Amino acid sequence: MRKMVTRMSTYAPTRGPSLLNAILHHKSKELNEDRIAGNHLKLKDIQEEVDKDTNLDVSSMSKQRQKELIDELIDHHMLKSQGSCSNNRAAALDAHQNIKAITLEVSLCVFDIKSVLTSNVDEEPFSLHWHLFFCILLTQSR
């Protein structure tokens, strides 16, 4: 409520990746690599595994290893944010646009072929060839 009254910005600056998040990400990839998508371990289980793992102890980890883990997390974030479908909404929009384009191409081809078949072939002998060429060109350009 205070933000609405004072007109403060509701957007916060993004934070950099922390070492704890990088360790959790690394352990999550390690534990979930052979599991199917709906059967991944929960965060609580991954945290328990990190606590048991002595190789991921922050106090004994070298600076180089810490940097490697953070870089791995940054690379993962960059891939997820700049991929072709960075979230479910983007994937749905992409699928919708593809279906819309395919439907338009098919309807154009069907309309062109119907108009050619109903026209007088004696007056326009090459009309059918041009329309078929146009339909083939449209479908191969995708």
Side-chain angles (χ1 to χ4, degrees):
M1 185 68 153
R2 183 180 301 167
K3 288 182 182 178
M4 292 173 64
V5 173
T6 60
R7 297 182 184 212
M8 292 176 55
S9 174
T10 57
Y11 299 105
T14 58
R15 295 176 293 198
S18 68
L19 182 58
L20 178 60
N21 287 341
I23 290 171
L24 287 172
H25 171 74
H26 176 74
K27 194 65 173 180
S28 170
K29 278 179 46 178
E30 181 183 303
L31 294 173
N32 290 325
E33 69 183 350
D34 56 346
R35 295 178 178 265
I36 59 174
N39 198 20
H40 288 189
L41 291 176
K42 306 285 184 211
L43 178 61
K44 183 178 178 183
D45 299 329
I46 296 170
Q47 288 172 335
E48 289 172 2
E49 292 295 323
V50 166
D51 291 340
K52 293 176 189 175
D53 194 350
T54 58
N55 293 333
L56 295 176
D57 185 28
V58 177
S59 61
S60 63
M61 191 180 296
S62 69
K63 294 290 184 186
Q64 181 182 1
R65 178 68 178 146
Q66 291 177 4
K67 184 172 177 1
E68 288 173 2
L69 291 174
I70 289 176
D71 288 343
E72 181 182 321
L73 179 62
I74 290 171
D75 290 342
H76 176 75
H77 282 293
M78 292 300 290
L79 178 67
K80 294 295 275 183
S81 68
Q82 294 179 353
S84 61
C85 296
S86 57
N87 56 32
N88 289 340
R89 184 172 185 273
L93 286 173
D94 186 41
H96 177 71
Q97 290 298 329
N98 285 334
I99 290 171
K100 189 176 176 181
I102 290 169
T103 304
L104 178 66
E105 289 176 9
V106 169
S107 64
L108 283 176
C109 287
V110 169
F111 176 76
D112 286 342
I113 291 173
K114 280 184 181 178
S115 66
V116 169
L117 292 177
T118 57
S119 67
N120 190 355
V121 180
D122 294 332
E123 295 173 6
E124 301 173 15
F126 297 107
S127 180
L128 180 61
H129 298 291
W130 282 110
H131 286 287
L132 290 177
F133 173 74
F134 175 70
C135 290
I136 291 170
L137 187 69
L138 270 178
T139 55
Q140 290 183 355
S141 66
R142 299 244 350 120

